[in-house]
């Protein structure tokens, strides 16, 4: 096809758009658009009436325990960020991001399997696998994507997934994409989980799915009991560690390290957007065969742009800091133990305090 022919074909739709619509068609289009807007406004009004409207507070400073917020005078104590270790503004993390930007550019303009994989992506995956003591790792644009990409690939109609009823929305959405039989057990209820395991014994594969730490209440999943049941009934164990990676456990490896079951949990999903620099990105670590299969079939991985080099640079440095020393992870527990409520120490391991107060605790206890 000649360039002239291609140009003529491409311009044909534009010529059609330029022609005036019939009056009747225009009125019908306008009526349909107005009806759609009415539906949207009704939905928005319902959100406001329910008291669940989510406003955005504009921060005019770096992320941290104390921040500047547009419209407020003076520093504001930040109760709600997930910057658990303060690494989002750590000088070495910021410097690494700048260096990656200068050396590797702003972005890849591509997905991983076409021309979007750089040496820094492979390096970060290796370090995350080392950090979690798993065979391999695959990066995603977010942990939401990691959860969306896992279950559809791993589980088919002959399999079963057993999910805690209070699991994160991304886990729920990811499970909806797979064709496995679904069993929802009561929150952290091992007796109910065992019943569901008995009900699903005819399945080919069974996967027990739980948050390591449930972010809304700070509950820590009973992983020892979950692993015991999984081994008894021949199931696999998956945990989402977004609210544990970097600071739970003696070395900050997460809930599985805290509870002594790192060698019994088969798959871990987590994020780079919280303790590990706070920028963006998520990942899956687990058996090499699973990670290779995800690279071949996981749709969020195959059809999403690669993580930008500055994000990769920041996350890599954050992971390196944690690999080099346990001090950063242990400082979180030490600071939390220093706070005293009603004459008793707050025990970090038991999560008496909700996660939303972590940033405030850091503010009171010093950086």
């Amino acid at each position: 096809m000649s360039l002239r022919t291609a140009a003529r074909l491409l311009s044909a739709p534009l010529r059609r758009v330029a022609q005036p619509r019939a009056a009747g068609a225009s009125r019908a289009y306008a009526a349909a658009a107005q009806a759609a807007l009415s539906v949207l406004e009704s939905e928005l009004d319902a959100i406001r009436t329910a008291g669940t409207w989510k406003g955005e507070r504009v921060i005019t400073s770096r992320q941290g325990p104390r921040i500047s917020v547009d419209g407020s005078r003076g520093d504001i104590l930040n109760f709600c960020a997930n910057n658990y270790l303060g690494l989002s503004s750590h000088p070495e993390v910021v410097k690494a991001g700048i260096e990656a930007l200068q050396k590797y550019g702003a972005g890849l303009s591509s997905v991983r399997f076409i021309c979007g994989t750089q040496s820094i992506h492979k390096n970060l995956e290796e370090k995350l696998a080392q950090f979690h003591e798993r065979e391999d790792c695959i990066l995603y644009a977010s942990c939401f994507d990691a959860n969306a990409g896992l279950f559809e690939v791993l589980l088919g109609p002959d399999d079963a997934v057993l999910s805690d009823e209070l699991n994160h929305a991304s886990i729920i959405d990811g499970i909806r994409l797979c064709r496995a039989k679904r069993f929802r057990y009561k929150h952290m209820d091992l007796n109910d989980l065992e019943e569901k395991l008995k009900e699903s014994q005819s399945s080919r594969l069974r996967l027990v799915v739980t948050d390591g730490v449930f972010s809304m209440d700070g509950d820590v999943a009973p992983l020892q009991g979950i692993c015991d049941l999984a081994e008894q009934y021949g199931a696999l164990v998956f945990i989402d560690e977004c609210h544990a990676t970097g600071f739970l456990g003696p070395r900050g490896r997460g809930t599985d390290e805290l509870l002594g079951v790192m060698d019994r949990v088969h798959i871990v999903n987590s994020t780079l957007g919280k303790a590990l620099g706070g920028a963006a990105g998520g990942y899956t670590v687990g058996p090499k065969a699973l990670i290779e299969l995800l690279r071949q079939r996981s749709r969020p991985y195959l059809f999403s742009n690669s993580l930008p080099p500055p994000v990769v640079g920041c996350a890599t440095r954050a992971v390196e800091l944690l690999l080099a020393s346990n001090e950063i992870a242990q400082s979180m527990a030490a600071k939390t133990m220093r706070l005293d409520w009603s004459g008793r120490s707050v025990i970090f391991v038991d999560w008496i305090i909700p996660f939303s107060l972590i940033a405030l605790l850091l503010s009171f206890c010093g950086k």
Side-chain angles (χ1 to χ4, degrees):
M1 181 187 296
S2 68
L3 288 175
R4 182 175 297 175
T5 302
R8 186 169 65 251
L9 292 173
L10 289 172
S11 63
L14 297 178
R15 290 197 298 272
R16 287 196 294 271
V17 170
Q19 296 173 355
R21 295 190 185 92
S26 296
R27 286 194 295 271
Y29 178 81
Q34 186 57 49
L37 287 175
S38 297
V39 171
L40 297 178
E41 289 295 345
S42 177
E43 289 293 322
L44 293 172
D45 288 341
I47 294 173
R48 294 187 186 96
T49 301
T52 56
W53 184 268
K54 292 167 281 294
E56 295 181 345
R57 298 167 181 83
V58 180
I59 299 174
T60 58
S61 65
R62 292 187 177 194
Q63 183 64 273
R66 294 176 174 86
I67 55 176
S68 297
V69 178
D70 188 30
S72 299
R73 290 183 293 179
D75 287 345
I76 303 295
L77 289 177
N78 186 1
F79 281 76
C80 53
N82 298 312
N83 182 27
Y84 298 125
L85 298 176
L87 294 180
S88 65
S89 298
H90 191 287
E92 292 189 39
V93 172
V94 174
K95 180 183 177 183
I98 294 172
E99 291 175 349
L101 174 64
Q102 292 172 335
K103 182 175 182 179
Y104 294 98
L108 277 298
S109 304
S110 179
V111 299
R112 286 285 299 269
F113 76 97
I114 297 179
C115 63
T117 298
Q118 291 176 319
S119 57
I120 53 175
H121 293 95
K122 302 303 292 184
N123 180 49
L124 177 55
E125 287 172 336
E126 290 174 6
K127 289 188 183 306
L128 286 167
Q130 177 187 351
F131 182 79
H132 286 281
E133 300 181 5
R134 264 62 177 197
E135 290 182 353
D136 205 354
C137 171
I138 180 173
L139 290 172
Y140 287 90
S142 68
C143 191
F144 206 113
D145 279 349
N147 284 337
L150 174 68
F151 305 105
E152 183 180 21
V153 172
L154 179 61
L155 303 174
D158 296 327
D159 304 318
V161 57
L162 303 92
S163 178
D164 188 291
E165 64 181 354
L166 294 188
N167 276 337
H168 191 267
S170 60
I171 296 176
I172 295 170
D173 284 359
I175 289 173
R176 286 172 176 165
L177 294 172
C178 77
R179 295 184 293 166
K181 304 177 187 70
R182 303 168 195 170
F183 298 84
R184 187 173 66 172
Y185 64 91
K186 296 175 183 177
H187 181 48
M188 303 202 309
D189 188 326
L190 295 178
N191 291 327
D192 194 40
L193 173 58
E194 183 170 18
E195 289 301 315
K196 300 299 189 296
L197 284 166
K198 291 178 180 178
E199 290 179 37
S200 60
Q201 286 189 95
S202 62
S203 300
R204 182 188 63 166
L205 293 177
R206 286 178 291 172
L207 182 66
V208 180
V209 175
T210 181
D211 278 306
V213 172
F214 295 82
S215 61
M216 297 306 292
D217 298 309
D219 295 337
V220 177
L223 289 184
Q224 293 173 331
I226 288 174
C227 289
D228 288 344
L229 288 173
E231 291 172 4
Q232 180 181 347
Y233 290 95
L236 303 174
V237 177
F238 162 94
I239 55 175
D240 181 309
E241 286 285 81
C242 287
H243 292 276
T245 296
F247 56 93
L248 262 192
R251 300 172 300 155
R253 299 316 192 248
T255 315
D256 54 351
E257 182 189 39
L258 175 73
L259 299 178
V261 293
M262 288 189 74
D263 59 339
R264 302 171 71 191
V265 173
H266 303 90
I267 307 167
V268 176
N269 277 7
S270 195
T271 182
L272 306 173
K274 292 182 171 59
L276 301 184
Y283 57 90
T284 298
V285 293
K288 189 173 184 62
L290 169 65
I291 302 304
E292 290 180 346
L293 186 61
L294 291 173
R295 291 191 195 281
Q296 299 302 313
R297 292 182 178 174
S298 178
R299 293 168 71 86
Y301 175 82
L302 292 170
F303 299 106
S304 296
N305 260 22
S306 309
L307 277 178
V311 171
V312 178
C314 289
T316 300
R317 189 62 188 131
V319 175
E320 288 173 346
L321 289 171
L322 295 175
L323 284 170
S325 172
N326 301 333
E327 183 179 349
I328 297 176
Q330 291 173 356
S331 69
M332 171 68 73
K335 290 172 182 176
T336 309
M337 289 292 292
R338 284 166 56 187
L339 190 68
D340 185 89
W341 284 355
S342 302
R344 59 181 294 185
S345 294
V346 177
I347 311 265
F348 183 71
V349 171
D350 290 337
W351 296 103
I352 297 171
I353 53 169
F355 271 93
S356 60
L357 294 180
I358 290 292
L360 181 61
L361 295 175
L362 292 177
S363 299
F364 284 141
C365 297
K367 294 184 180 179

